[in-house]
């Protein structure tokens, strides 16, 4: 059994079972006699202590989803159901935002990358802000990426003002700002160039849903196929904004100036597009949402191809509209089920050190002296073996026991009972 020693929002020391007592005494001895510091001990027998997990992709405002999901449903059939849901009385985004954050934390996340809608600041003030300031429960770090959709001329002109307002709101509410040009079928190349230029000038992260289906590529090349039909049925004429003959490679080339860049899904990128991403490997990553990928019935995810090319892959849950919960631990365990040949350490890095590195979150992703005090504690099942504790973490029997954010207890499974 090991120990992690915290002081405020930092890790003071990490020790294995044999040296924990000695390190504790050394730390106590280093304190001046006049120091009035209360030492608390929290024991988690049969558990593993991990760096705080990061959920690199979700849509918190959809956490109140009540429309179910049809396994294998086509994306172009699913999108209109989201449009209808957002217009219904059942859509209560303020409640969903709060619920989604709680569910992410209960699923092991200390950090969240959220795709935000323009109305999010009011929703945050209604539910999340009071929770932050009226209770002692800490809030996870949130990177809020404003979703930008440009399928109408009037919306295109309003985007700069919306992004400016988003940045101001993030500064006031203590949230990291960024932007998310939604997808190639909702953001034409000319608008994408403007958004990327805006983001670069202000050092904002950028995320885009890219190559989620092969039919997306058909729409870019010819403006035909199910996405063209979907827009027609929604009463949206996109032909004045989108030309023909564009490609995923063109979009990646435009996005190549982004720092950092998150390519969400990337299910069907070819070797050409992967070669372009490889050049950006130090400042870009592909976000894999394993359970959502499976529910849509996609072909096997090209994880091995990305890893072989040296392209960082990080994990997200996606939203409750496509996933039964927001547990990033379950995503890690699903990767293990789908890719049993990968080393456990490599899989675990997809929700710890890799996203921290790509996002530039200093002090995150590892446990050692001076690290940020973000900790996920998981209860290991009976399969735990001293020789391979990391493999035990990825077992489906392992559950989240506790989450510590900035050195404070944010979640305990004991309180769920």
């Amino acid at each position: 059994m090991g120990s992690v020693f915290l002081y405020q929002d930092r890790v003071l020391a990490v020790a294995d079972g044999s040296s924990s007592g000695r390190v504790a005494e050394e730390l106590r001895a280093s304190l001046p006699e006049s120091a009035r510091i209360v030492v608390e001990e929290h024991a988690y027998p049969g558990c593993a202590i991990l760096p705080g997990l990061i959920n690199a992709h979700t849509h918190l405002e959809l956490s109140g989803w009540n429309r179910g999901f049809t396994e294998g449903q086509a994306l172009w059939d699913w999108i209109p159901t989201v449009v209808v849901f957002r217009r219904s009385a059942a859509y209560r985004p303020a409640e969903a935002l709060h619920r989604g954050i709680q569910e992410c934390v209960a699923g092991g996340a200390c950090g969240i990358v959220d795709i935000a809608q323009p109305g999010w600041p009011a929703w945050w003030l209604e539910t999340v802000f009071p929770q932050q300031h009226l209770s002692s429960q800490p809030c996870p770090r949130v990177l809020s990426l404003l979703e930008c959709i440009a399928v109408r001329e009037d919306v295109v002109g309003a985007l700069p003002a919306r992004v400016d307002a988003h940045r101001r709101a993030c500064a006031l509410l203590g949230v990291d700002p960024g932007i998310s040009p939604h997808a190639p079928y909702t953001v034409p190349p000319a608008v994408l160039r403007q958004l990327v230029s805006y983001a670069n000038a202000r050092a904002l992260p950028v995320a885009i849903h890219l190559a989620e289906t092969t039919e997306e590529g058909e729409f870019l090349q010819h403006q035909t196929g199910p996405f063209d039909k979907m827009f027609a049925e929604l009463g949206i004429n996109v032909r004045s904004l989108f030309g023909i003959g564009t490609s995923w490679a063109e979009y990646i080339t435009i996005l190549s100036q982004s720092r950092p860049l998150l390519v969400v899904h990337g299910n069907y990128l070819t070797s050409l597009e992967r070669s372009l991403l490889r050049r950006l490997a130090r400042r870009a990553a592909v976000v894999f949402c394993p359970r959502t990928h499976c529910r849509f019935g996609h072909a096997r995810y090209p994880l091995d191809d990305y890893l072989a090319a040296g392209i960082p892959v990080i994990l997200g849950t996606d939203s409750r509209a496509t996933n039964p919960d927001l547990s990033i631990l379950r995503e890690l365990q699903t990767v293990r089920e789908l890719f049993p040949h990968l080393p456990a350490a490599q899989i675990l890095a997809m929700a710890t050190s890799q996203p921290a590195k790509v996002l530039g979150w200093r002090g995150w992703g590892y446990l050692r002296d001076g690290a940020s005090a973000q900790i996920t504690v998981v209860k290991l099942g009976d399969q735990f073996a001293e020789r391979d504790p990391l493999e035990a973490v990825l077992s489906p029997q392992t559950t989240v026991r506790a989450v510590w954010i900035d050195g404070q207890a944010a979640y305990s499974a004991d309180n769920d009972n």
Side-chain angles (χ1 to χ4, degrees), residues 129-146:
F129 187 81
Q131 181 72 17
Q132 283 180 287
H133 293 269
L134 298 179
S135 74
S136 59
Q137 189 173 18
C139 187
R141 182 172 185 173
V142 176
L143 169 56
S144 180
L145 300 165
L146 181 67

Side-chain angles (χ1 to χ4, degrees), residues 116-130:
Q117 297 300 303
W120 78 269
W123 309 333
W124 188 280
L125 285 170
E126 183 179 338
T127 57
V128 181
F129 187 81

Side-chain angles (χ1 to χ4, degrees), residues 164-361:
D164 281 336
H166 177 69
R167 290 176 57 234
R168 291 192 296 269
C170 287
L172 289 171
L173 297 174
V175 175
D176 297 343
I179 62 173
S180 177
H182 171 250
Y185 53 87
T186 56
V187 179
V191 178
L192 183 65
R193 288 189 184 92
Q194 296 173 18
L195 291 171
V196 169
S197 177
Y198 180 102
N200 290 347
R202 295 158 182 82
L204 298 179
V206 174
I208 185 170
H209 300 77
L210 188 71
E212 194 166 355
T213 68
T214 55
E215 289 79 3
E216 178 186 307
E218 177 187 354
F219 178 80
L220 295 179
Q221 282 289 320
H222 309 292
Q223 281 200 5
T224 58
F227 281 104
D228 184 58
K229 181 181 178 182
M230 178 192 75
F231 284 123
E233 291 175 348
L234 290 172
I236 301 173
N237 180 11
V238 297
R239 303 207 168 206
S240 62
L241 291 171
F242 290 82
I244 61 174
T246 56
S247 65
W248 290 323
E250 179 180 353
Y251 273 76
I252 293 173
T253 300
I254 298 170
L255 290 159
S256 65
Q257 303 304 313
S258 304
R259 295 172 180 263
L261 167 65
L262 302 182
V263 173
V264 181
H265 304 309
N267 299 333
Y268 296 98
L269 293 179
T270 67
S271 58
L272 169 62
E273 291 100 31
R274 290 196 297 272
S275 69
L276 294 174
L277 280 178
R278 183 178 183 178
R279 301 173 190 173
L280 314 177
R282 291 188 178 182
R283 61 180 189 271
V286 175
V287 186
F288 177 29
C289 302
R291 289 184 292 169
T292 288
H293 183 90
C294 293
R295 294 192 84 185
F296 274 111
H298 293 300
R300 179 179 172 84
Y301 191 74
L303 179 58
D304 292 318
D305 293 332
Y306 285 128
L307 296 178
I311 299 168
V313 177
I314 60 181
L315 303 182
T317 58
D318 218 321
S319 76
R320 281 299 302 271
T322 59
N323 214 345
D325 58 60
L326 300 180
S327 171
I328 191 63
L329 176 63
R330 292 300 180 210
E331 303 301 333
L332 285 165
Q333 293 166 345
T334 302
V335 175
R336 160 51 73 236
E337 294 171 13
L338 297 174
F339 300 90
H341 59 284
L342 292 179
Q346 187 174 28
I347 295 175
L348 187 59
M350 296 177 188
T352 53
S353 57
Q354 284 282 25
K357 182 178 180 180
V358 171
L359 295 171
W361 289 8

Side-chain angles (χ1 to χ4, degrees), residues 146-168:
L146 181 67
E147 187 168 74
C148 300
I149 293 177
V151 294
R152 294 196 304 265
E153 293 280 2
D154 58 327
V155 174
V156 172
L159 285 179
R162 285 186 180 180
V163 180
D164 281 336
H166 177 69
R167 290 176 57 234
R168 291 192 296 269

Side-chain angles (χ1 to χ4, degrees), residues 16-49:
D16 59 27
S18 61
S19 62
S20 293
R22 176 182 56 79
V23 173
E25 289 303 318
E26 290 176 352
L27 289 173
R28 288 189 179 95
S30 68
L31 298 173
E33 293 183 4
S34 60
R36 296 182 178 180
I37 297 177
V38 178
V39 178
E40 295 182 1
E41 180 179 352
H42 299 267
Y44 297 106
C47 293
I49 302 174

